[in-house]
PDB file of all heavy atoms in Angstrom:
ATOM      1  N   THR S 240     -11.660  24.509 -23.458  1.00 98.00           N
ATOM      2  CA  THR S 240     -10.866  25.267 -24.434  1.00 98.00           C
ATOM      3  C   THR S 240      -9.379  24.985 -24.271  1.00 98.00           C
ATOM      4  O   THR S 240      -8.651  24.833 -25.257  1.00 98.00           O
ATOM      5  CB  THR S 240     -11.147  26.763 -24.271  1.00 98.00           C
ATOM      6  OG1 THR S 240     -12.542  27.001 -24.478  1.00 98.00           O
ATOM      7  CG2 THR S 240     -10.352  27.576 -25.271  1.00 98.00           C
ATOM      8  N   GLU S 241      -8.929  24.895 -23.019  1.00 98.00           N
ATOM      9  CA  GLU S 241      -7.502  24.619 -22.795  1.00 98.00           C
ATOM     10  C   GLU S 241      -7.139  23.214 -23.276  1.00 98.00           C
ATOM     11  O   GLU S 241      -6.058  23.005 -23.854  1.00 98.00           O
ATOM     12  CB  GLU S 241      -7.163  24.791 -21.315  1.00 98.00           C
ATOM     13  CG  GLU S 241      -7.407  26.186 -20.762  1.00 98.00           C
ATOM     14  CD  GLU S 241      -6.619  27.273 -21.484  1.00 98.00           C
ATOM     15  OE1 GLU S 241      -5.412  27.092 -21.699  1.00 98.00           O
ATOM     16  OE2 GLU S 241      -7.224  28.312 -21.828  1.00 98.00           O
ATOM     17  N   SER S 242      -8.026  22.247 -23.065  1.00 98.00           N
ATOM     18  CA  SER S 242      -7.778  20.899 -23.591  1.00 98.00           C
ATOM     19  C   SER S 242      -7.759  20.916 -25.114  1.00 98.00           C
ATOM     20  O   SER S 242      -6.918  20.256 -25.750  1.00 98.00           O
ATOM     21  CB  SER S 242      -8.845  19.923 -23.087  1.00 98.00           C
ATOM     22  OG  SER S 242      -8.723  19.687 -21.707  1.00 98.00           O
ATOM     23  N   ARG S 243      -8.678  21.664 -25.702  1.00 98.00           N
ATOM     24  CA  ARG S 243      -8.679  21.831 -27.162  1.00 98.00           C
ATOM     25  C   ARG S 243      -7.346  22.389 -27.643  1.00 98.00           C
ATOM     26  O   ARG S 243      -6.753  21.896 -28.614  1.00 98.00           O
ATOM     27  CB  ARG S 243      -9.831  22.765 -27.546  1.00 98.00           C
ATOM     28  CG  ARG S 243     -10.067  23.011 -29.037  1.00 98.00           C
ATOM     29  CD  ARG S 243      -9.240  24.146 -29.645  1.00 98.00           C
ATOM     30  NE  ARG S 243      -9.155  25.368 -28.895  1.00 98.00           N
ATOM     31  CZ  ARG S 243      -9.997  26.389 -28.982  1.00 98.00           C
ATOM     32  NH1 ARG S 243     -11.051  26.307 -29.777  1.00 98.00           N
ATOM     33  NH2 ARG S 243      -9.785  27.502 -28.286  1.00 98.00           N
ATOM     34  N   ASP S 244      -6.857  23.406 -26.939  1.00 98.00           N
ATOM     35  CA  ASP S 244      -5.578  24.009 -27.321  1.00 98.00           C
ATOM     36  C   ASP S 244      -4.432  23.000 -27.201  1.00 98.00           C
ATOM     37  O   ASP S 244      -3.533  22.963 -28.054  1.00 98.00           O
ATOM     38  CB  ASP S 244      -5.287  25.219 -26.440  1.00 98.00           C
ATOM     39  CG  ASP S 244      -6.176  26.413 -26.749  1.00 98.00           C
ATOM     40  OD1 ASP S 244      -6.920  26.365 -27.753  1.00 98.00           O
ATOM     41  OD2 ASP S 244      -6.136  27.393 -25.981  1.00 98.00           O
ATOM     42  N   GLN S 245      -4.465  22.193 -26.149  1.00 98.00           N
ATOM     43  CA  GLN S 245      -3.388  21.218 -25.945  1.00 98.00           C
ATOM     44  C   GLN S 245      -3.332  20.198 -27.080  1.00 98.00           C
ATOM     45  O   GLN S 245      -2.279  19.965 -27.678  1.00 98.00           O
ATOM     46  CB  GLN S 245      -3.579  20.496 -24.613  1.00 98.00           C
ATOM     47  CG  GLN S 245      -2.484  19.491 -24.303  1.00 98.00           C
ATOM     48  CD  GLN S 245      -2.504  19.034 -22.857  1.00 98.00           C
ATOM     49  OE1 GLN S 245      -3.423  18.340 -22.438  1.00 98.00           O
ATOM     50  NE2 GLN S 245      -1.494  19.413 -22.081  1.00 98.00           N
ATOM     51  N   TRP S 246      -4.478  19.616 -27.401  1.00 98.00           N
ATOM     52  CA  TRP S 246      -4.458  18.500 -28.338  1.00 98.00           C
ATOM     53  C   TRP S 246      -4.391  18.945 -29.795  1.00 98.00           C
ATOM     54  O   TRP S 246      -3.807  18.245 -30.624  1.00 98.00           O
ATOM     55  CB  TRP S 246      -5.626  17.566 -28.065  1.00 98.00           C
ATOM     56  CG  TRP S 246      -5.449  16.916 -26.728  1.00 98.00           C
ATOM     57  CD1 TRP S 246      -6.092  17.211 -25.565  1.00 98.00           C
ATOM     58  CD2 TRP S 246      -4.470  15.925 -26.395  1.00 98.00           C
ATOM     59  NE1 TRP S 246      -5.592  16.451 -24.531  1.00 98.00           N
ATOM     60  CE2 TRP S 246      -4.601  15.651 -25.005  1.00 98.00           C
ATOM     61  CE3 TRP S 246      -3.508  15.230 -27.131  1.00 98.00           C
ATOM     62  CZ2 TRP S 246      -3.800  14.715 -24.356  1.00 98.00           C
ATOM     63  CZ3 TRP S 246      -2.713  14.287 -26.481  1.00 98.00           C
ATOM     64  CH2 TRP S 246      -2.866  14.045 -25.109  1.00 98.00           C
ATOM     65  N   THR S 247      -4.939  20.115 -30.116  1.00 98.00           N
ATOM     66  CA  THR S 247      -4.747  20.614 -31.484  1.00 98.00           C
ATOM     67  C   THR S 247      -3.278  20.929 -31.711  1.00 98.00           C
ATOM     68  O   THR S 247      -2.729  20.661 -32.788  1.00 98.00           O
ATOM     69  CB  THR S 247      -5.608  21.859 -31.762  1.00 98.00           C
ATOM     70  OG1 THR S 247      -5.419  22.827 -30.726  1.00 98.00           O
ATOM     71  CG2 THR S 247      -7.078  21.502 -31.879  1.00 98.00           C
ATOM     72  N   ASN S 248      -2.604  21.485 -30.699  1.00 98.00           N
ATOM     73  CA  ASN S 248      -1.183  21.780 -30.845  1.00 98.00           C
ATOM     74  C   ASN S 248      -0.371  20.501 -31.009  1.00 98.00           C
ATOM     75  O   ASN S 248       0.517  20.420 -31.870  1.00 98.00           O
ATOM     76  CB  ASN S 248      -0.689  22.578 -29.639  1.00 98.00           C
ATOM     77  CG  ASN S 248       0.782  22.928 -29.752  1.00 98.00           C
ATOM     78  OD1 ASN S 248       1.637  22.221 -29.216  1.00 98.00           O
ATOM     79  ND2 ASN S 248       1.087  24.001 -30.458  1.00 98.00           N
ATOM     80  N   VAL S 249      -0.686  19.493 -30.195  1.00 98.00           N
ATOM     81  CA  VAL S 249       0.045  18.222 -30.297  1.00 98.00           C
ATOM     82  C   VAL S 249      -0.141  17.594 -31.676  1.00 98.00           C
ATOM     83  O   VAL S 249       0.794  17.038 -32.265  1.00 98.00           O
ATOM     84  CB  VAL S 249      -0.428  17.256 -29.190  1.00 98.00           C
ATOM     85  CG1 VAL S 249       0.095  15.842 -29.437  1.00 98.00           C
ATOM     86  CG2 VAL S 249       0.020  17.762 -27.824  1.00 98.00           C
ATOM     87  N   LEU S 250      -1.356  17.704 -32.215  1.00 98.00           N
ATOM     88  CA  LEU S 250      -1.655  17.094 -33.510  1.00 98.00           C
ATOM     89  C   LEU S 250      -1.328  18.014 -34.685  1.00 98.00           C
ATOM     90  O   LEU S 250      -1.516  17.629 -35.841  1.00 98.00           O
ATOM     91  CB  LEU S 250      -3.127  16.683 -33.548  1.00 98.00           C
ATOM     92  CG  LEU S 250      -3.424  15.440 -32.701  1.00 98.00           C
ATOM     93  CD1 LEU S 250      -4.894  15.351 -32.349  1.00 98.00           C
ATOM     94  CD2 LEU S 250      -2.967  14.180 -33.424  1.00 98.00           C
ATOM     95  N   GLY S 251      -0.854  19.216 -34.399  1.00 97.00           N
ATOM     96  CA  GLY S 251      -0.393  20.106 -35.457  1.00 97.00           C
ATOM     97  C   GLY S 251      -1.487  20.712 -36.292  1.00 97.00           C
ATOM     98  O   GLY S 251      -1.297  20.929 -37.497  1.00 97.00           O
ATOM     99  N   VAL S 252      -2.648  21.004 -35.670  1.00 96.00           N
ATOM    100  CA  VAL S 252      -3.738  21.617 -36.414  1.00 96.00           C
ATOM    101  C   VAL S 252      -4.131  22.930 -35.743  1.00 96.00           C
ATOM    102  O   VAL S 252      -3.803  23.190 -34.585  1.00 96.00           O
ATOM    103  CB  VAL S 252      -4.963  20.681 -36.523  1.00 96.00           C
ATOM    104  CG1 VAL S 252      -4.569  19.396 -37.234  1.00 96.00           C
ATOM    105  CG2 VAL S 252      -5.554  20.374 -35.156  1.00 96.00           C
ATOM    106  N   SER S 253      -4.856  23.760 -36.474  1.00 96.00           N
ATOM    107  CA  SER S 253      -5.248  25.074 -36.002  1.00 96.00           C
ATOM    108  C   SER S 253      -6.257  24.994 -34.867  1.00 96.00           C
ATOM    109  O   SER S 253      -7.038  24.038 -34.775  1.00 96.00           O
ATOM    110  CB  SER S 253      -5.840  25.881 -37.166  1.00 96.00           C
ATOM    111  OG  SER S 253      -6.429  27.082 -36.703  1.00 96.00           O
ATOM    112  N   GLN S 254      -6.257  26.039 -34.033  1.00 97.00           N
ATOM    113  CA  GLN S 254      -7.261  26.135 -32.979  1.00 97.00           C
ATOM    114  C   GLN S 254      -8.575  26.727 -33.502  1.00 97.00           C
ATOM    115  O   GLN S 254      -9.521  26.927 -32.730  1.00 97.00           O
ATOM    116  CB  GLN S 254      -6.749  26.994 -31.823  1.00 97.00           C
ATOM    117  CG  GLN S 254      -5.725  26.304 -30.942  1.00 97.00           C
ATOM    118  CD  GLN S 254      -4.347  26.210 -31.578  1.00 97.00           C
ATOM    119  OE1 GLN S 254      -3.793  27.216 -32.005  1.00 97.00           O
ATOM    120  NE2 GLN S 254      -3.796  25.008 -31.650  1.00 97.00           N
ATOM    121  N   THR S 255      -8.631  27.014 -34.795  1.00 96.00           N
ATOM    122  CA  THR S 255      -9.869  27.463 -35.432  1.00 96.00           C
ATOM    123  C   THR S 255     -10.594  26.249 -35.993  1.00 96.00           C
ATOM    124  O   THR S 255     -10.010  25.467 -36.740  1.00 96.00           O
ATOM    125  CB  THR S 255      -9.583  28.452 -36.572  1.00 96.00           C
ATOM    126  OG1 THR S 255      -8.889  29.587 -36.047  1.00 96.00           O
ATOM    127  CG2 THR S 255     -10.873  28.906 -37.234  1.00 96.00           C
ATOM    128  N   PRO S 256     -11.873  26.059 -35.645  1.00 95.00           N
ATOM    129  CA  PRO S 256     -12.568  24.852 -36.117  1.00 95.00           C
ATOM    130  C   PRO S 256     -12.749  24.841 -37.624  1.00 95.00           C
ATOM    131  O   PRO S 256     -12.961  25.882 -38.247  1.00 95.00           O
ATOM    132  CB  PRO S 256     -13.919  24.915 -35.390  1.00 95.00           C
ATOM    133  CG  PRO S 256     -14.096  26.334 -34.980  1.00 95.00           C
ATOM    134  CD  PRO S 256     -12.719  26.887 -34.769  1.00 95.00           C
ATOM    135  N   THR S 257     -12.656  23.654 -38.197  1.00 93.00           N
ATOM    136  CA  THR S 257     -12.932  23.475 -39.622  1.00 93.00           C
ATOM    137  C   THR S 257     -14.405  23.211 -39.868  1.00 93.00           C
ATOM    138  O   THR S 257     -14.865  23.239 -41.011  1.00 93.00           O
ATOM    139  CB  THR S 257     -12.111  22.307 -40.193  1.00 93.00           C
ATOM    140  OG1 THR S 257     -12.316  21.144 -39.382  1.00 93.00           O
ATOM    141  CG2 THR S 257     -10.629  22.635 -40.202  1.00 93.00           C
ATOM    142  N   GLY S 258     -15.163  22.945 -38.817  1.00 93.00           N
ATOM    143  CA  GLY S 258     -16.592  22.716 -38.956  1.00 93.00           C
ATOM    144  C   GLY S 258     -17.293  22.841 -37.623  1.00 93.00           C
ATOM    145  O   GLY S 258     -16.699  22.604 -36.570  1.00 93.00           O
ATOM    146  N   THR S 259     -18.552  23.262 -37.674  1.00 94.00           N
ATOM    147  CA  THR S 259     -19.384  23.356 -36.478  1.00 94.00           C
ATOM    148  C   THR S 259     -20.706  22.664 -36.765  1.00 94.00           C
ATOM    149  O   THR S 259     -21.350  22.943 -37.779  1.00 94.00           O
ATOM    150  CB  THR S 259     -19.638  24.819 -36.084  1.00 94.00           C
ATOM    151  OG1 THR S 259     -18.381  25.473 -35.888  1.00 94.00           O
ATOM    152  CG2 THR S 259     -20.451  24.899 -34.806  1.00 94.00           C
ATOM    153  N   THR S 260     -21.097  21.757 -35.878  1.00 93.00           N
ATOM    154  CA  THR S 260     -22.277  20.925 -36.098  1.00 93.00           C
ATOM    155  C   THR S 260     -23.256  21.073 -34.946  1.00 93.00           C
ATOM    156  O   THR S 260     -22.854  21.062 -33.782  1.00 93.00           O
ATOM    157  CB  THR S 260     -21.870  19.443 -36.210  1.00 93.00           C
ATOM    158  OG1 THR S 260     -20.841  19.304 -37.171  1.00 93.00           O
ATOM    159  CG2 THR S 260     -23.059  18.581 -36.612  1.00 93.00           C
ATOM    160  N   SER S 261     -24.547  21.192 -35.262  1.00 93.00           N
ATOM    161  CA  SER S 261     -25.589  21.183 -34.244  1.00 93.00           C
ATOM    162  C   SER S 261     -26.102  19.760 -34.073  1.00 93.00           C
ATOM    163  O   SER S 261     -26.535  19.138 -35.039  1.00 93.00           O
ATOM    164  CB  SER S 261     -26.743  22.108 -34.647  1.00 93.00           C
ATOM    165  OG  SER S 261     -26.305  23.440 -34.752  1.00 93.00           O
ATOM    166  N   LEU S 262     -26.047  19.249 -32.841  1.00 94.00           N
ATOM    167  CA  LEU S 262     -26.474  17.893 -32.528  1.00 94.00           C
ATOM    168  C   LEU S 262     -27.615  17.930 -31.511  1.00 94.00           C
ATOM    169  O   LEU S 262     -27.871  18.968 -30.897  1.00 94.00           O
ATOM    170  CB  LEU S 262     -25.300  17.081 -31.976  1.00 94.00           C
ATOM    171  CG  LEU S 262     -24.124  16.820 -32.925  1.00 94.00           C
ATOM    172  CD1 LEU S 262     -22.998  16.128 -32.175  1.00 94.00           C
ATOM    173  CD2 LEU S 262     -24.567  15.995 -34.111  1.00 94.00           C
ATOM    174  N   PRO S 263     -28.297  16.809 -31.308  1.00 95.00           N
ATOM    175  CA  PRO S 263     -29.370  16.769 -30.308  1.00 95.00           C
ATOM    176  C   PRO S 263     -28.866  17.086 -28.908  1.00 95.00           C
ATOM    177  O   PRO S 263     -27.666  17.059 -28.624  1.00 95.00           O
ATOM    178  CB  PRO S 263     -29.872  15.332 -30.405  1.00 95.00           C
ATOM    179  CG  PRO S 263     -29.493  14.877 -31.775  1.00 95.00           C
ATOM    180  CD  PRO S 263     -28.203  15.556 -32.075  1.00 95.00           C
ATOM    181  N   GLY S 264     -29.806  17.355 -28.008  1.00 95.00           N
ATOM    182  CA  GLY S 264     -29.457  17.593 -26.617  1.00 95.00           C
ATOM    183  C   GLY S 264     -28.792  18.932 -26.378  1.00 95.00           C
ATOM    184  O   GLY S 264     -28.081  19.097 -25.377  1.00 95.00           O
ATOM    185  N   GLY S 265     -28.990  19.900 -27.285  1.00 96.00           N
ATOM    186  CA  GLY S 265     -28.360  21.199 -27.123  1.00 96.00           C
ATOM    187  C   GLY S 265     -26.853  21.150 -27.275  1.00 96.00           C
ATOM    188  O   GLY S 265     -26.130  21.968 -26.705  1.00 96.00           O
ATOM    189  N   THR S 266     -26.379  20.205 -28.063  1.00 97.00           N
ATOM    190  CA  THR S 266     -24.939  19.978 -28.202  1.00 97.00           C
ATOM    191  C   THR S 266     -24.401  20.631 -29.467  1.00 97.00           C
ATOM    192  O   THR S 266     -24.975  20.483 -30.549  1.00 97.00           O
ATOM    193  CB  THR S 266     -24.642  18.468 -28.250  1.00 97.00           C
ATOM    194  OG1 THR S 266     -25.210  17.852 -27.096  1.00 97.00           O
ATOM    195  CG2 THR S 266     -23.149  18.207 -28.288  1.00 97.00           C
ATOM    196  N   THR S 267     -23.303  21.318 -29.324  1.00 97.00           N
ATOM    197  CA  THR S 267     -22.575  21.870 -30.475  1.00 97.00           C
ATOM    198  C   THR S 267     -21.238  21.152 -30.580  1.00 97.00           C
ATOM    199  O   THR S 267     -20.495  21.063 -29.599  1.00 97.00           O
ATOM    200  CB  THR S 267     -22.342  23.376 -30.312  1.00 97.00           C
ATOM    201  OG1 THR S 267     -23.604  24.043 -30.224  1.00 97.00           O
ATOM    202  CG2 THR S 267     -21.578  23.934 -31.509  1.00 97.00           C
ATOM    203  N   LEU S 268     -20.965  20.639 -31.759  1.00 96.00           N
ATOM    204  CA  LEU S 268     -19.707  19.938 -32.016  1.00 96.00           C
ATOM    205  C   LEU S 268     -18.819  20.809 -32.890  1.00 96.00           C
ATOM    206  O   LEU S 268     -19.214  21.223 -33.977  1.00 96.00           O
ATOM    207  CB  LEU S 268     -19.967  18.593 -32.703  1.00 96.00           C
ATOM    208  CG  LEU S 268     -18.762  17.913 -33.351  1.00 96.00           C
ATOM    209  CD1 LEU S 268     -17.682  17.592 -32.326  1.00 96.00           C
ATOM    210  CD2 LEU S 268     -19.197  16.647 -34.082  1.00 96.00           C
ATOM    211  N   GLU S 269     -17.611  21.067 -32.407  1.00 96.00           N
ATOM    212  CA  GLU S 269     -16.592  21.738 -33.201  1.00 96.00           C
ATOM    213  C   GLU S 269     -15.554  20.698 -33.619  1.00 96.00           C
ATOM    214  O   GLU S 269     -15.080  19.930 -32.783  1.00 96.00           O
ATOM    215  CB  GLU S 269     -15.913  22.840 -32.390  1.00 96.00           C
ATOM    216  CG  GLU S 269     -16.853  23.914 -31.875  1.00 96.00           C
ATOM    217  CD  GLU S 269     -16.218  24.792 -30.810  1.00 96.00           C
ATOM    218  OE1 GLU S 269     -14.987  24.694 -30.604  1.00 96.00           O
ATOM    219  OE2 GLU S 269     -16.953  25.558 -30.154  1.00 96.00           O
ATOM    220  N   THR S 270     -15.227  20.656 -34.897  1.00 96.00           N
ATOM    221  CA  THR S 270     -14.194  19.741 -35.376  1.00 96.00           C
ATOM    222  C   THR S 270     -12.970  20.542 -35.788  1.00 96.00           C
ATOM    223  O   THR S 270     -13.081  21.666 -36.305  1.00 96.00           O
ATOM    224  CB  THR S 270     -14.691  18.899 -36.558  1.00 96.00           C
ATOM    225  OG1 THR S 270     -15.162  19.772 -37.594  1.00 96.00           O
ATOM    226  CG2 THR S 270     -15.823  17.989 -36.138  1.00 96.00           C
TER     227      THR S 270
END
Side-chain angles (χ1 to χ4, degrees):
T240 301
E241 299 301 313
S242 291
R243 184 273 315 271
D244 288 352
Q245 182 166 69
W246 294 104
T247 51
N248 181 264
V249 168
L250 286 159
V252 300
S253 171
Q254 285 75 54
T255 300
T257 52
T259 303
T260 308
S261 298
L262 295 174
T266 305
T267 299
L268 165 61
E269 301 166 10
T270 55

